[in-house]
Amino acid sequence: MANKRYLFTSESVTEGHPDKMCDQISDAILDAIIAKDPPARVACECLTTNGLVVVAGEITTGCYVEIPAIARSTIRDIGYVSREIGFDYETCGVLVSIKEQSKDIAMGVDKSLETKGGEVVHEDLEKLGAGDQGLMFGYATDETPELMPMPIMFAHRLAQRLAEVRKNGTLPYLRPDGKSQVTVEYEGDKPVRVDSALVAAQHAPDVKYENIKEEIVEHVIKKVIPAEYIDNNTKYYVNPTGRFVIGGPQGDTGLTGRKIIIDTYGGSARHGGGCFSGKDPTKVDRSGGYMMRYVAKNIVAARLARRCEVQVAYAIGVARPLSVMVNTFGTGRVPDEQINKIIEKCFDFRPGMIIKYLGLRRPLYKQVAAYGHFGRTELNLPWEETDKVQILIKEAGI
């Protein structure tokens, strides 16, 4: 885009948003199962509405976990602890409908898996087939230290800060539901200023709107957005309708997997359409998406490009991907075709080898079910490592 000026917007939601509640419940159940039974097959979906949580899906495991208790503890940790705020973890209904994974699907995935009484005897990860067909994208950009797009990083931080000031008592009238949105002005591919910041925060009914707006601007927005990106034309929007008392599952039905753009790159990169939450890593929506982020981040960290998007595609039951594609949007120091050959040499995209290399069969997932799966430098996530930088530089000959 040369030096063209344009605006780009990304949004996030708090952990108390009903869709994010469902993602966290699904991933809390996944974490509990793979902590006991790492090779378990899990596809766990959740729905929540006024006073009710429904957990459904396909789970094949030799262990037992108390699903209603996991759901209730997750809701409690989020902050829905009384009827007065619209949802109570103790009195809500929890319905569970779980069946085993289809044998037709399992047959395509674990041809090399032998079991005896539910115990894994042998599993050849090199031959593990993809758990489904599909395409996944990874992305990285040098516009932030996390190598993530600036709009989604600021949106996540606003949502996290909203939860923080609620939980630490700075703004005790806040309730768990909330959303954020940030519009960044770019010149070419460089962010130059924040044009607007929006926060929608659920609150107690007896608080004046003027107080809410003033305190959220002061304690949330200005604590997150660096001063160098704010100018006299930056606009702040707080609860634009003027009132946000009814929220969470009382105000809106939640579903697992309905915030896939928030989970990834805020719209700055393309998306294959599959969600992450509630899926064990044989599902390539999850493992493939994480691997593509790992590859793209290492390419940008190695300064082979300033921006990088990587796509992979799989067929169910087939280990090797159908295609791998790199796009550096004209920012590469070497041609995209050369980078494509380098990554196919330096990375193994077979699902079983992704699982092995990134160590994905452990309880990693609830912690990323809110505020994004990528750019989370505080969490020590394997797909955020940049340990391939030197080998990429060497292979590129720069």
Side-chain angles (χ1 to χ4, degrees), residues 29-30 32-43 58-65 67 98-101 115 117-120 280:
I29 293 166
L30 171 64
I33 291 171
I34 62 174
K36 293 183 176 182
D37 181 14
R41 298 290 159 76
V42 180
E58 297 77 46
I59 299 177
T60 302
T61 180
C63 76
Y64 174 79
V65 298
I67 290 176
I98 298 293
K99 58 185 181 294
E100 286 193 339
Q101 183 185 61
T115 60
E119 179 185 354
V120 176
D280 76 80

Side-chain angles (χ1 to χ4, degrees), residues 12 151-161 180 262 264 371-372:
S12 185
I152 190 65
M153 290 305 298
F154 283 170
H156 283 323
R157 287 173 182 166
L158 287 176
Q160 286 176 298
R161 178 65 180 169
S180 62
I262 288 171
T264 52
Y371 311 120

Side-chain angles (χ1 to χ4, degrees), residues 16-200:
H17 186 282
D19 292 331
K20 272 289 146 218
M21 288 177 63
C22 292
D23 287 342
Q24 290 167 91
I25 292 168
S26 294
D27 275 335
I29 293 166
L30 171 64
D31 277 354
I33 291 171
I34 62 174
K36 293 183 176 182
D37 181 14
R41 298 290 159 76
V42 180
C44 183
E45 310 286 344
C46 184
L47 175 148
T48 183
T49 186
N50 194 10
L52 178 65
V53 176
V54 180
V55 180
E58 297 77 46
I59 299 177
T60 302
T61 180
C63 76
Y64 174 79
V65 298
E66 184 59 42
I67 290 176
I70 294 169
R72 292 185 193 279
S73 66
T74 302
I75 296 165
R76 179 199 63 213
D77 293 345
I78 290 168
Y80 286 111
V81 295
S82 72
R83 294 181 182 179
E84 286 69 31
I85 62 173
F87 204 83
D88 184 352
Y89 78 99
E90 289 186 299
T91 61
C92 68
V94 180
L95 302 180
V96 179
S97 179
I98 298 293
K99 58 185 181 294
E100 286 193 339
Q101 183 185 61
S102 160
K103 288 181 171 57
D104 292 344
I105 295 174
M107 179 176 61
V109 179
D110 53 19
K111 294 176 182 175
S112 304
L113 181 67
E114 300 172 17
T115 60
K116 183 178 181 181
E119 179 185 354
V120 176
V121 178
H122 171 70
E123 184 180 37
D124 188 347
L125 287 174
E126 291 191 8
K127 297 179 181 178
L128 194 74
D132 201 353
Q133 70 176 51
L135 51 138
M136 301 86 216
F137 290 91
Y139 183 73
T141 171
D142 66 358
E143 64 193 66
T144 63
E146 300 85 0
L147 304 187
M148 286 285 288
M150 184 176 286
I152 190 65
M153 290 305 298
F154 283 170
H156 283 323
R157 287 173 182 166
L158 287 176
Q160 286 176 298
R161 178 65 180 169
L162 202 56
E164 181 183 346
V165 297
R166 168 176 62 89
K167 292 181 175 182
N168 68 19
T170 301
L171 302 180
Y173 53 79
L174 292 181
R175 291 178 172 177
D177 199 356
K179 302 180 80 171
S180 62
Q181 189 166 285
V182 176
T183 299
V184 173
E185 184 172 353
Y186 284 79
E187 183 173 355
D189 59 3
K190 295 188 180 299
V192 294
R193 59 182 290 273
V194 170
D195 187 70
S196 67
L198 185 155
V199 172

